[in-house]
Amino acid sequence: MSYRWNTSDFASGYDAAAEIIHPNYTAIQDQILGLLESHLSKGGLVVDLGGGSGRLLERILDRWPQSHGLIIDQSEPFLALAERRLARFGPRAACVLSRLQDDWSRELPSSPTSFISMSAIHHLDPGEKQSLYQRCFQLLIPGGLLLNGDEVRAGNDREYAAVLNSWADHMRRKMVAGAIPPSFHSALHGWIDRNVNHFGQPKKSGDDCHETIDTQLGYLRSAGFPLADVPWQKDLWAILRGIK
Ligand SMILES: C[S@@+](CC[C@H](N)C(=O)[O-])C[C@H]1O[C@@H](n2cnc3c(N)ncnc32)[C@H](O)[C@@H]1O
């Protein structure tokens, strides 16, 4: 069966309604832009891991005209949208079709000043997350930054279940209100089924492999990042930061 992210309906539905589906979509993008300020003022390469249709990279390339960016994503339909969105930046923007788990390092034109990511790395299982963070640490310039604005779980099951339920309620309300394209409804029902109806079932790579902030800060430190912290957090979401 093909991975659920790899259909055109899924990609165009998410691209059209991301800030309605994800209640903190714009807030996390705004935070990431603020955190990049001192790193990109002189330009440099930014790599968006699982950058999808390019919405975050577009904002970065607009904000810092000397920067250039690369999206790594395993979905052809998402990258087709990204290529269209980023075409106006010419050679400043590029897309690479690859799984984050694979070795995409030869595709980078130079050492990145920053790796960024939103709502993608939680699809990797624990071992895959650790390998990815290690690869990012090795490739970054000294002083470089990794920012992952992603879904994280609370340590305690009751709190974790409550935030999943609350996001599921939000999705249902927005579907009933007609705010989300019907082509994306089955994706959201699938999310609710996996995460709420089957709460507590074992997860495998490709599922929503939520892990706690502390676990992931441990992964960043073990990968080599001397500084690892969480500059922003709300409900199911946090920005995990590693500074080389
Ligand atoms: C929820 S979308 C987020 C897209 C984009 N980061 C954004 O915030 O708009 C998740 C993205 O992660 C990508 N993705 C999921 N698992 C991946 C993997 N193992 N390797 C590469 N990309 C992956 C999907 O193809 C999709 O583009």
Side-chain angles (χ1 to χ4, degrees):
M1 200 172 66
S2 107
Y3 191 22
R4 62 189 178 284
W5 295 100
N6 295 345
T7 71
S8 295
D9 273 359
F10 208 116
S12 56
Y14 192 80
D15 183 57
E19 58 271 270
I20 297 165
I21 297 160
H22 180 333
N24 291 294
Y25 191 78
T26 311
I28 293 175
Q29 285 197 345
D30 290 346
Q31 290 289 330
I32 289 179
L33 263 76
L35 293 164
L36 283 171
E37 191 73 60
S38 57
H39 287 260
L40 282 183
S41 49
K42 296 198 185 85
L45 173 66
V46 185
V47 178
D48 190 340
L49 303 165
S53 58
R55 295 182 52 161
L56 178 57
L57 192 58
E58 179 180 40
R59 291 188 63 187
I60 290 168
L61 297 181
D62 271 330
R63 169 86 73 99
W64 292 285
Q66 296 183 69
S67 65
H68 53 290
L70 185 86
I71 291 183
I72 299 171
D73 200 289
Q74 58 78 49
S75 165
E76 284 193 42
F78 268 96
L79 287 186
L81 294 172
E83 278 171 1
R84 222 171 300 154
R85 167 167 286 120
L86 303 175
R88 68 187 169 91
F89 297 106
R92 289 180 58 210
C95 295
V96 170
L97 181 68
S98 171
R99 295 162 77 234
L100 296 176
Q101 295 93 321
D102 296 338
D103 184 6
W104 35 262
S105 54
R106 273 177 299 235
E107 307 286 345
L108 306 189
S110 57
S111 299
T113 55
S114 325
F115 283 101
I116 53 168
S117 185
M118 260 187 77
S119 304
I121 294 175
H122 71 269
H123 295 111
L124 273 52
D125 70 24
E128 293 169 340
K129 285 193 193 86
Q130 292 172 73
S131 303
L132 177 67
Y133 290 152
Q134 280 162 19
R135 179 163 283 135
C136 292
F137 179 77
Q138 284 156 11
L139 292 168
L140 275 173
I141 60 163
L145 189 64
L146 181 147
L147 294 172
N148 177 20
D150 209 355
E151 297 165 23
V152 293
R153 61 155 292 162
N156 116 18
D157 270 0
R158 206 155 50 89
E159 214 179 305
Y160 176 41
V163 292
L164 292 172
N165 270 293
S166 143
W167 195 15
D169 287 343
H170 168 90
M171 291 176 188
R172 290 190 195 99
R173 276 196 305 277
K174 295 297 178 186
M175 285 191 275
V176 170
I180 295 175
S183 61
F184 203 70
H185 287 197
S186 66
L188 296 186
H189 288 303
W191 186 94
I192 294 170
D193 193 50
R194 285 190 310 278
N195 288 289
V196 175
N197 303 341
H198 291 94
F199 180 80
Q201 297 294 305
K203 302 279 177 74
K204 59 179 187 321
S205 174
D207 291 341
D208 299 292
C209 302
H210 298 137
E211 296 186 67
T212 65
I213 286 175
D214 283 349
T215 300
Q216 295 212 57
L217 290 181
Y219 293 166
L220 288 173
R221 292 184 188 115
S222 301
F225 287 96
L227 293 171
D229 66 357
V230 177
W232 181 94
Q233 181 188 359
K234 188 173 179 203
D235 304 330
L236 188 65
W237 294 274
I239 297 179
L240 304 157
R241 170 169 64 180
I243 306 179
K244 181 163 172 176

